[in-house]
């Protein structure tokens, strides 16, 4: 996404309630400015998680926001810590798709990446308001301006009060659950199982398409280095190869968007049933 198109989305995102909330964890660091790169490199957010849950001490991670592999490592560790905390400490299973760390590391300056960061911040918020120090964090939220704390309250309600987002696993320990509650749990499990199977099918389709695209790129590269291509000047060969690879990338991007839209439509239809 071009900077001119992306900047309005970025400005709006950095003033959003979730970003305003997570910045409160940096308030004790005098002069620290939390910007998009701070959120993307994973170091600051790992520090936030370690404050919420001290045992979640991140590995010695260098602050290399321009290194995609380092961002993948930092963000993968963070997502794993969040997932484990929900399951082992809160006895909740995260049902929403986890943040896409590859997207965040490889194409950070896109609208879709901002949505992935928002999802990451939402999951962190859920940890904060349910952890052992939740009174402290709720008090900090209450000190924010009215519109911000009202929006955060909606986010908390949206995440923690819906079996579509988090599945409470405490019911496994209840031997005498009322029949009506058990029926609700069973319906929720059935819907999520259907959603999981749909995701499996989408991923299998994605793997098949990526395999075909990879083979196509290999054929293109082989054809450009074949003896028949020697009749063309090197500059033209490079231009043709670059154009073909660019088209392959554009095709893959378009297919990914179509798959995402199909998945969203599929999820919407499940929620309507």
């Amino acid at each position: 996404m071009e900077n001119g198109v992306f900047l309005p989305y970025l400005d709006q995102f950095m003033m959003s309630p979730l970003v305003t909330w997570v910045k409160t964890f940096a308030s004790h660091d005098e002069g620290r400015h939390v910007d998009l790169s701070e959120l993307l490199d994973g170091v600051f957010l790992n520090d936030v998680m370690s404050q919420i849950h001290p045992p979640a001490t991140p590995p010695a991670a260098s602050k290399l926001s321009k290194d995609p592999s380092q961002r993948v490592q930092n963000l993968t560790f963070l997502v794993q810590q969040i997932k484990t905390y929900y399951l082992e400490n809160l006895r909740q299973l995260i049902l929403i798709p986890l943040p896409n760390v590859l997207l965040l590391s490889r194409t950070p300056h896109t609208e879709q990446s901002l949505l992935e960061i928002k999802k990451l911040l939402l999951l962190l918020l859920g940890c904060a308001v349910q952890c052992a120090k939740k009174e402290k964090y709720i008090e900090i939220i209450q000190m924010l301006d009215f519109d911000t704390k009202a929006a955060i309250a909606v986010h908390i309600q949206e995440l923690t009060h819906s079996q579509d987002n988090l599945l409470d696993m405490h019911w496994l320990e209840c031997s005498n659950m009322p029949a009506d509650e058990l029926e609700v749990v069973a319906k929720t499990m059935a819907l999520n199982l259907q959603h999981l199977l749909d995701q499996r099918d989408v991923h299998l389709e994605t793997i098949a398409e990526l395999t075909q695209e990879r083979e196509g790129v290999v054929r293109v590269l082989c054809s450009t280095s074949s003896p028949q291509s020697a009749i063309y000047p090197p500059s033209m060969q490079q231009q043709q190869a670059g154009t073909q690879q660019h088209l392959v990338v554009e095709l893959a991007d378009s297919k990914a968007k179509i798959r995402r839209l199909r998945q969203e439509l599929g999820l919407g239809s499940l929620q309507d049933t």
Side-chain angles (χ1 to χ4, degrees):
M1 182 178 291
E2 297 294 335
N3 286 337
V5 178
F6 176 69
L7 284 177
Y9 291 107
L10 176 59
D11 292 340
Q12 183 179 4
F13 175 74
M14 294 306 295
M15 293 187 294
S16 66
L18 284 173
V19 175
T20 301
W21 165 74
V22 83
K23 284 181 178 180
T24 62
F25 286 86
S27 59
H28 62 280
D29 294 338
E30 186 176 353
R32 183 170 188 173
H33 175 66
V34 177
D35 55 15
L36 181 62
S37 63
E38 288 265 12
L39 299 177
L40 285 170
D41 63 29
V43 176
F44 170 64
L45 294 183
N46 266 301
D47 179 61
V48 170
M49 186 61 194
S50 67
Q51 291 181 52
I52 294 172
H53 183 49
T57 305
S62 302
K63 191 171 182 180
L64 300 174
S65 60
K66 293 183 179 180
D67 182 357
S69 63
Q70 184 66 49
R71 286 201 296 266
V72 169
Q73 179 181 338
N74 294 345
L75 293 174
T76 298
F77 180 84
L78 173 62
V79 171
Q80 185 59 46
Q81 290 299 310
I82 291 174
K83 178 182 174 182
T84 302
Y85 184 77
Y86 272 98
L87 187 58
E88 296 184 358
N89 295 76
L90 303 178
R91 299 293 291 147
Q92 295 171 346
L93 184 64
I94 300 174
L95 298 180
I96 58 175
L98 294 174
N100 188 332
V101 297
L102 290 178
L103 184 67
L104 287 173
S105 63
R106 294 177 179 174
T107 57
H109 300 102
T110 62
E111 185 181 1
Q112 184 61 34
S113 287
L114 295 184
L115 294 176
E116 296 300 315
I117 300 177
K118 178 182 177 181
K119 190 189 303 181
L120 191 55
L121 297 181
L122 183 62
L123 291 172
L124 276 172
L125 174 63
C127 291
V129 298
Q130 298 183 92
C131 71
K133 298 183 289 185
K134 60 184 178 182
E135 290 82 5
K136 169 188 173 182
Y137 296 123
I138 292 174
E139 183 179 350
I140 292 174
I141 292 173
Q142 291 296 331
M143 295 171 62
L144 300 173
D145 66 82
F146 178 81
D147 290 339
T148 300
K149 65 184 179 184
I152 290 176
V154 171
H155 283 311
I156 295 172
Q157 185 85 6
E158 153 194 12
L159 179 67
T160 62
H161 290 69
S162 172
Q163 291 284 343
D164 293 331
N165 298 322
L166 296 175
L167 180 63
D168 191 345
M169 302 297 289
H170 287 95
W171 67 274
L172 291 173
E173 304 162 5
C174 297
S175 57
N176 56 347
M177 178 179 287
D180 55 341
E181 293 184 17
L182 187 59
E183 182 181 358
V184 172
V185 171
K187 287 182 178 179
T188 301
M189 291 291 288
L191 287 174
N192 283 298
L193 179 59
Q194 183 179 353
H195 183 211
L196 183 63
L197 292 174
D198 289 340
Q199 283 187 319
R200 179 203 63 184
D201 295 340
V202 169
H203 291 324
L204 288 174
E205 179 185 345
T206 302
I207 291 172
E209 291 179 355
L210 290 175
T211 301
Q212 291 177 340
E213 290 164 7
R214 183 187 63 181
E215 292 173 351
V217 171
V218 171
R219 285 195 298 269
V220 168
L221 293 176
C222 290
S223 65
T224 56
S225 60
S226 65
Q228 289 84 353
S229 64
I231 61 175
Y232 299 105
S235 59
M236 184 176 294
Q237 294 176 28
Q238 292 176 0
Q239 183 179 3
Q240 289 176 342
T243 301
Q244 289 172 321
Q245 290 183 49
H246 178 69
L247 291 174
V248 169
V249 171
E250 284 192 345
L251 178 61
D253 183 59
S254 299
K255 288 182 177 180
K257 291 178 181 178
I258 292 172
R259 285 193 297 269
R260 186 169 65 250
L261 291 172
R262 284 177 178 171
Q263 189 172 359
E264 291 174 357
L265 290 173
L267 179 58
S269 63
L270 285 177
Q271 293 174 339
D272 293 337
T273 55

